[in-house]
Each structure stands twice: as C-alpha cells, then as structure tokens.
Amino acid sequence: MTIISKDIPKAIRLLTDENVVAIPTETVYGLAGNIYSSKAIKSIFSTKNRPFYNPLIVHIHSITALEDIVTHVPEKAARLASAFWPGSMTLVLPKHNAIPDLITAGKNTVAVRIPNHPLTLDLLSKLPFPLAAPSANPFGSISPTTPKHVEHYFKNEIKQILDGGSCTKGIESTIIGFENEKPVIYRLGALSLEAIEAVVGKVEIKNKKESNPNAPGMLGRHYAPCTKTILSHSILKDLDTYQDNSVGLISFTQTFKHTSINTQINLSAKGNMEEAAANLYNALHTLDHLKLDVIIAENLPNYGLGQSINDRLQRATFTK
Ligand code: AMP
Ligand code: MG
C-alpha cells in the first residue's frame, strides 16, 4: 500500500499521535511534526540524520499565530510578513519561551513562516499546534519537490506523505533575520532579493559558505547529488574536458550537442527563472538516479531567482 495520499484526517491523526508526516509546500516537501512534542521533533532529526545544531523552521497558519512563537516583530519584519505571507519567506525572530530548544538548536531566535500551499494551510488550520518542518531529505542531499522524491528517501521510515503534487516554487524559502532591527538575508531562496528590497530597501546578504555556519543552509556542501557535479561557466569547454565520460547536462535555455552527453535537461526553454527554479531539483534527482560519471550544470544569469539557483548549484558542487 502506498504511503502517498491526500488524506488530511489521517495526517491529523498521525501528527496528533506525535508521528512525523511529509507535507507539501510551495518550496519543497517538509518532514513535519508537532513543535511541542519532543518525540516528534527527535524523530525528525533522526529520520533526516540531521545534526542537532541545525535548527528547524516552524510553520504556522496565520499571522495571529505568530504571537505564540516570537516575542518581538521589527517594523520591517511586519512589512515583509504582510507583503509575502503566505509565501516562500522565512523570518528569524526572537523566540517565545514556550518554543523548545530542540527546534532552535538552543538559539534565542526561531525561524518561522506561513507556507503557501492549500493542502498544508488546510492541515495547519485544523491542528491545535504548529508544525516544525525541515526539508524531507537526508541531511545534505537534494531537497524533494515531488511525493516520489520523498518516497525514494523515506518509504520505510514514515507513515504518510501528504500528496500536494509538484512544488510550484521548487527551491527552499529565503531566510531573513534581523540585526539591530535591520533585515539580513541568511539564505537566498524562492523569494528573490529584488522582491524583498522593493519592500524594505537595501538588504545585506550573509550567506557565505562556511563549515560551521549560523544557518546551516549556508553549509558549504549541501543540497548535493551523489554524482560528481560541476557548476559550469562554459558548457562546451567542460563537455570537452569530460569527453570520455557519460555526462548529465543541466542547461538553462539552450540545447547542446556533444558526444559525451548522455542525458540533457533544459530548465526553461523560454529562459524563465521561476520555471528554472521549479525544475531544478527534479533535474538533479533524475540525473543522479542515472548513475552517470558527472553532472554538468550551467551557471545562470546572476539576478532574480538565477542568484538563488546559482547558490544552490554552488553548494551542490562544493568539494572543500
Ligand atoms: P530546511 O528547513 O531544511 O531548509 O532548514 C532550515 C533552515 O533554517 C536551516 O538552514 C537553518 O539553519 C535555518 N534556521 C532555522 N532556525 C534558524 C535560526 N534561529 N537562525 C538562523 N537560521 C535558522
Ligand atoms: Mg534542508
């Protein structure tokens, strides 16, 4: 029997009994549990093999639920929340005492967002508690954007994957913290820098690749396939370099011809960044399953979601 279903009452039963359930969001699938159940939260960490220093994102249904999660909302955070929630933006704010340390890795801040997916909003509105939900993948691997991706990773570990179809945004949320009331981007993501700056003005980005980062979405190697992956600024040159290998190619708009190409995936034939983001992880999953020698991914123009996609590709290919 498949564990993939649209059965919300079943998800409510499982979550109320302190189990974890995979849930759809517009960004990627999450592995969700009751934020107040240490059993559920511990099982999120153990299922993902996620280190406890990596805090989780709390998912709520409405802005009014925010008062149980955080103690202070800077003016610019309030503006961002009203502009983009429900949506692909996570805010890091001072945490309420009731939020367990396990969720926040002992930090005095908590990451929170209202996801924009009808099924999960329906689920959250029917639950008496918020859900902690990191991405539903083993730590460091490619995030899931379809129920099948989650099933591939966890079919023996979890009892239900709530089927919300393919994620429309396809990369993780943009994470924004506040330092002296000023917004700082900790992780680039599905909401573009330009969209954020249109609401709050110039924003600093602090998402350098580090080995022991503030926000582990900043880890050097993360979001990575098992297959060796190259981020390419010159596709034809790199295809020549790997001419004796079997290559999986991820290109933005253009189709390339070369004897080394085994399989080629265009992220967006019409050059649309949103479409490219939505297709990115599925392309990485597909090519990774083919067990090729190398995946070559094209560096995108570095603006809008191109910047977020390039960030993910750099981390997928980071080797030091
Ligand atoms: P995931 O849900 O798997 O995309 O991971 C959640 C991301 O949110 C991780 O990169 C965390 O480091 C980040 N995060 C969660 N809580 C905090 C926090 N209090 N401060 C900074 N980053 C956070
Ligand atoms: Mg993740």
Side-chain angles (χ1 to χ4, degrees):
M1 203 185 70
T2 176
I3 57 168
I4 300 173
S5 83
K6 293 187 194 297
D7 189 345
I8 290 203
K10 178 179 172 183
I12 292 172
R13 272 196 311 278
L14 286 168
L15 290 163
T16 305
D17 287 345
E18 304 183 87
N19 293 292
V20 300
V21 169
I23 58 164
T25 81
E26 82 283 20
T27 60
V28 302
Y29 272 72
L31 198 58
N34 175 354
I35 64 165
Y36 300 117
S37 158
S38 62
K39 180 183 166 219
I41 301 308
K42 281 181 187 156
S43 95
I44 290 174
F45 280 95
S46 61
T47 306
K48 277 181 64 82
N49 201 14
R50 182 176 177 110
F52 284 110
Y53 65 72
N54 193 344
L56 308 179
I57 296 175
V58 171
H59 290 66
I60 55 174
H61 169 253
S62 64
I63 295 209
T64 48
L66 198 57
E67 65 194 39
D68 297 332
I69 312 295
V70 308
T71 54
H72 171 62
V73 181
E75 188 265 329
K76 288 190 171 176
R79 274 203 272 159
L80 288 167
S82 73
F84 298 119
W85 278 352
S88 342
M89 174 191 71
T90 297
L91 297 179
V92 174
L93 298 171
K95 88 174 188 84
H96 199 289
N97 267 342
I99 304 296
D101 284 339
L102 215 48
I103 302 268
T104 63
K107 288 171 183 280
N108 54 14
T109 53
V110 60
V112 59
R113 86 174 177 109
I114 305 178
N116 191 14
H117 192 292
L119 214 54
T120 290
L121 283 173
D122 186 22
L123 173 65
L124 285 167
S125 75
K126 290 174 174 155
L127 288 170
F129 46 79
L131 294 173
S135 53
N137 55 307
F139 183 66
S141 63
I142 312 165
S143 296
T145 56
T146 67
K148 285 275 173 209
H149 295 158
V150 184
E151 187 181 45
H152 172 77
Y153 286 137
F154 295 134
K155 62 171 168 297
N156 300 320
E157 279 91 347
I158 61 178
K159 295 189 175 129
Q160 189 188 7
I161 300 166
L162 192 59
D163 183 359
S166 295
C167 302
T168 52
K169 299 285 179 187
I171 57 172
E172 295 78 0
S173 59
T174 303
I175 301 182
I176 306 175
F178 293 83
E179 298 180 5
N180 302 319
E181 305 280 302
K182 289 209 190 87
V184 174
I185 292 191
Y186 293 146
R187 178 176 74 182
L188 292 164
L191 183 65
S192 73
L193 178 63
E194 290 86 341
I196 292 160
E197 290 189 333
V199 174
V200 290
K202 195 86 192 132
V203 176
E204 190 185 348
I205 304 179
K206 280 197 188 170
N207 76 334
K208 294 254 151 45
K209 290 188 271 304
E210 296 174 25
S211 55
N212 188 14
N214 241 337
M218 297 152 93
L219 274 170
R221 186 171 168 79
H222 210 73
Y223 314 110
C226 300
T227 313
K228 176 180 177 176
T229 303
I230 309 276
L231 177 57
S232 178
H233 295 265
S234 173
I235 296 283
L236 287 172
K237 189 165 145 269
D238 288 328
L239 286 169
D240 279 347
T241 306
Y242 289 93
Q243 61 184 335
D244 298 326
N245 295 95
S246 183
V247 174
L249 179 64
I250 298 179
S251 62
F252 180 31
T253 56
Q254 217 182 320
T255 301
F256 292 85
K257 287 209 170 4
H258 197 282
T259 51
S260 66
I261 299 174
N262 172 293
T263 306
Q264 177 166 184
I265 299 176
N266 267 159
L267 293 180
S268 171
K270 45 183 192 285
N272 178 299
M273 300 285 196
E274 280 69 27
E275 185 180 33
N279 288 332
L280 177 70
Y281 288 150
N282 197 41
L284 284 168
H285 278 283
T286 302
L287 295 180
D288 201 25
H289 294 165
L290 297 177
K291 308 257 180 277
L292 305 171
D293 297 320
V294 61
I295 296 171
I296 298 179
E298 184 177 6
N299 192 66
L300 265 64
N302 210 40
Y303 58 84
L305 292 190
Q307 195 177 0
S308 307
I309 294 169
N310 290 339
D311 173 84
R312 295 301 185 275
L313 287 172
Q314 273 159 20
R315 290 171 209 278
T317 61
F318 189 72
T319 49
K320 275 184 231 105

